[in-house]
Amino acid sequence: MKLPPHLTIRNGHLHVGGHDCVSLSEKYGTPLYVTSEDRICDHFRAYQQALSSRYPNVQVLFAAKANGNLAVMRALAQLGAGADVFSGGELALAREAGMPAKKLLFNGSSKTKSDLALAVQHGVKVSVDSLDELHQLDAVAREAKKVAEISFRVNPALEVPTHPKIATGLATSKFGIPHGQIPAAYKEALSCKHVRPVGIHCHIGSQILDVEPFARAAKVMVRIAQELAGMGVKLEFLDLGGGLGVPYHHDTDPAPTPEDYANAVMPVFLAGIKAAGITPELWVEPGRYLVADSTVILTRVNSTKTAHKRFANVDAGFNLLIRPAMYDAYHEVIVANRADAPLTTEYTVTGPICETGDILAADRKLPELAAGDLIAVLDAGAYGYAMSSQYNGRPRCPEVLVHGNETALMRRGETLADLTSTMVHPPWQR
Ligand code: LLP
């Protein structure tokens, strides 16, 4: 199987960033998330470079929802990343990671008044999702005696080649304002005293492996920019969102790079802003591309059995990686302690959760397995730990970060006490 450069096989063992997964599993236990910081940084630099070599005024925002670990966000902040934040919690994480307020965009299709107040208090720009929200934000900013800078989230009504649950810019999606209504929304915003419209924003979906839809989205966005320019509005930023995917099937799926993305999008962007007579900052919001392949989950085989087919029952399930169950996502698996053994036997790798759908990997050719073997589930760095839960009374596992010669915990494992630490004893039961 084709592996990214930070994943190597030596002496039959899978290594992440040069660190032996077998040793890591012995040191930290299983299940275990293992992330290569260097891989994330390489991907960020590639994204930044691909765009800024074609246009100087670029800001890459990391979509914090993909991986909210502070160590990951700090590494990105040190390289100059901002963040797309989708909640007060993500805003707080981004600030704690060292990202300045001016590099953040508060997104969200259903914000509370306190979300809006938090954005105003921090001076974070807000991507407004409806006219109702616009007027609420105007009132919140008036109360705080401030002016909130905003963009509108544009719904570009685009079909994209991805799982329907992660297509976000369909005409039927819950996100954003239909593109035809954006000029009117802008006019409305210009009449609000405590709001200053400065940008437009869109996001068309996630895990997209064809760069052409991004060019189509850019076309919709620059057309709007031109229309706004005709109204006398010069946009200060244009945010094209994230969405670039990483291959599910390493040997057969396309693996578009930021260069491919830039080759498709930048000609449209550059011609469009020229026609509009503006030089806005170009913002992008990749999540998945930056972090997905940086991370593997190491999970131990508890038992094997042959029923109507062969099962390998492991110690991580959809409590730790819900993507296969939720989006039929395909994650490659490798037997990390015998990574060069011949693939002789078909297994379905199932987790410990009491759900029929708790399948991490179905019908995969693997070496003959036995209890104690160590399986690595690849490409788990985006929307993996971030979407984990304590379902079935399972404390979440630790996360380890590797960087150069060093490895360290970046999140301790939860304990049984963590399961109950937020629960309160109702007085009548005491
Ligand atoms: N910006 C906005 C406004 C978004 O809604 C998203 C993702 C992103 C950026 C980042 O997209 P990315 O580059 O990561 O594709 N949990 C799903 C993905 C949901 C994506 C929702 N929005 C998954 O595991 O596939």
Side-chain angles (χ1 to χ4, degrees):
M1 181 196 316
K2 249 191 253 165
L3 292 175
H6 64 297
L7 299 184
T8 50
I9 294 170
R10 269 186 257 154
N11 307 323
H13 291 184
L14 179 69
H15 290 61
V16 177
H19 298 271
D20 186 340
C21 288
V22 172
S23 314
L24 290 170
S25 75
E26 282 159 6
K27 180 164 180 196
Y28 297 102
T30 62
L32 182 69
Y33 266 82
V34 181
T35 295
S36 161
E37 176 174 333
D38 302 341
R39 178 65 170 170
I40 294 173
C41 293
D42 286 348
H43 269 171
F44 178 84
R45 286 192 204 96
Y47 223 102
Q48 174 79 38
Q49 168 65 17
L51 297 173
S52 60
S53 63
R54 290 163 171 86
Y55 185 67
N57 216 351
V58 171
Q59 179 61 55
V60 180
L61 313 186
F62 170 55
K65 69 205 77 175
N67 189 323
N69 193 298
L70 275 176
V72 167
M73 293 183 65
R74 247 183 239 122
L76 288 165
Q78 282 166 9
L79 296 178
D84 140 42
V85 299
F86 222 79
S87 65
E90 287 182 1
L91 190 154
L93 285 169
R95 296 291 288 128
E96 193 168 339
M99 294 171 174
K102 66 174 192 318
K103 291 187 180 179
L104 306 183
L105 184 65
F106 199 124
N107 288 315
S109 54
S110 180
K111 304 184 190 82
T112 62
K113 288 218 173 68
S114 53
D115 289 336
L116 298 173
L118 191 72
V120 167
Q121 179 204 329
H122 283 262
V124 170
K125 294 181 187 63
V126 178
S127 185
V128 171
D129 201 84
S130 65
L131 290 186
D132 190 358
E133 187 184 303
L134 173 72
H135 292 123
Q136 290 185 30
L137 178 61
D138 190 39
V140 164
R142 186 183 336 115
E143 206 156 291
K145 300 191 173 54
K146 295 213 167 136
V147 174
E149 291 190 322
I150 66 152
S151 57
F152 284 107
R153 167 100 179 230
V154 177
N155 181 325
L158 291 180
E159 301 278 336
V160 291
T162 191
H163 190 281
K165 282 192 184 152
I166 52 176
T168 54
L170 307 172
T172 52
S173 297
K174 70 169 183 172
F175 299 105
I177 295 176
H179 56 100
Q181 297 176 20
I182 294 291
Y186 235 85
K187 221 175 257 170
E188 186 73 21
L190 288 168
S191 74
C192 295
K193 283 212 181 85
H194 292 269
V195 158
R196 195 167 87 82
V198 290
I200 51 171
H201 163 231
C202 76
H203 178 73
I204 58 174
S206 192
Q207 182 55 12
I208 299 170
L209 294 177
D210 175 5
V211 291
E212 186 272 338
F214 297 111
R216 274 192 283 141
K219 205 166 273 177
V220 173
M221 297 296 273
V222 294
R223 208 179 298 133
I224 292 171
Q226 287 160 24
E227 204 170 326
L228 294 178
M231 290 163 46
V233 176
K234 289 193 183 299
L235 289 178
E236 294 173 19
F237 77 91
L238 203 154
D239 183 339
L240 295 177
L244 190 62
V246 302
Y248 274 166
H249 300 85
H250 282 204
D251 290 336
T252 50
D253 280 351
T257 61
E259 275 293 315
D260 298 326
Y261 173 88
N263 279 334
V265 165
M266 292 311 281
V268 178
F269 173 78
L270 292 171
I273 60 166
K274 190 167 176 209
I278 56 172
T279 49
E281 282 184 23
L282 170 61
W283 288 18
V284 286
E285 302 175 341
R288 183 165 178 75
Y289 184 82
L290 297 185
V291 291
D293 78 1
S294 68
T295 301
V296 306
I297 302 174
L298 299 180
T299 178
R300 189 77 65 191
V301 177
N302 284 328
S303 56
T304 63
K305 74 175 168 192
T306 305
H308 74 289
K309 58 181 175 181
R310 300 189 82 154
F311 289 102
N313 306 309
V314 300
D315 61 6
F318 80 42
N319 52 323
L320 293 177
L321 183 70
I322 204 168
R323 303 192 71 261
M326 194 148 170
Y327 315 115
D328 303 313
Y330 184 99
H331 286 255
E332 299 276 14
V333 294
I334 292 181
V335 179
N337 57 319
R338 287 187 289 122
D340 49 11
L343 311 178
T344 53
T345 315
E346 200 165 272
Y347 284 96
T348 288
V349 180
T350 63
I353 298 300
C354 185
E355 298 267 352
T356 307
D358 185 27
I359 293 172
L360 288 177
D363 308 324
R364 305 294 177 86
K365 270 273 166 71
L366 298 173
E368 187 92 17
L369 292 174
D373 276 330
L374 185 68
I375 289 186
V377 182
L378 306 196
D379 305 319
Y383 310 105
Y385 193 97
M387 293 177 77
S388 65
S389 74
Q390 294 176 331
Y391 183 41
N392 270 184
R394 291 185 175 275
R396 292 179 183 82
C397 71
E399 290 185 288
V400 162
L401 191 64
V402 312
H403 168 56
N405 293 328
E406 295 176 276
T407 74
L409 274 183
M410 62 171 173
R411 179 163 1 222
R412 70 162 170 84
E414 291 175 345
T415 63
L416 288 181
D418 290 315
L419 293 183
T420 51
S421 62
T422 52
M423 297 181 191
V424 177
H425 214 148
W428 63 89
Q429 290 183 356
R430 276 182 199 146

